[in-house]
Amino acid sequence: MAYIRKSKKISQIKLAEIVDMNFNYIGQIERGETNVTINTITKIANALDTDVKDLFDFTL
């Protein structure tokens, strides 16, 4: 997720604002420190204008 976010030049703070979440939570998600719901994943994918499956492509 971080790779996609950074490639679109969006900070964690900006992404958090777009999806109405705390930026610390975005960081925890990117570091794999917390579990997330499919709704949260969908919100993030939509905010990044990407498919949900792309958030799970760890070969990028």
Side-chain angles (χ1 to χ4, degrees):
M1 180 174 106
Y3 175 81
I4 295 168
R5 177 182 56 75
K6 290 175 184 178
S7 72
K8 295 180 182 274
K9 297 184 177 17
I10 298 175
S11 68
Q12 286 182 346
I13 293 171
K14 183 64 179 174
L15 179 59
E17 289 172 1
I18 294 168
V19 296
D20 194 29
M21 294 176 194
N22 185 292
F23 76 94
N24 289 317
Y25 185 53
I26 299 295
Q28 290 173 339
I29 293 169
E30 288 184 351
R31 292 187 301 275
E33 297 174 350
T34 189
N35 294 319
V36 294
T37 66
I38 191 65
N39 290 336
T40 299
I41 292 168
T42 301
K43 283 183 185 179
I44 292 170
N46 289 337
L48 294 173
D49 193 31
T50 192
D51 293 326
V52 169
K53 68 175 181 63
D54 294 335
L55 298 179
F56 297 95
D57 185 355
F58 302 109
T59 62
L60 298 175

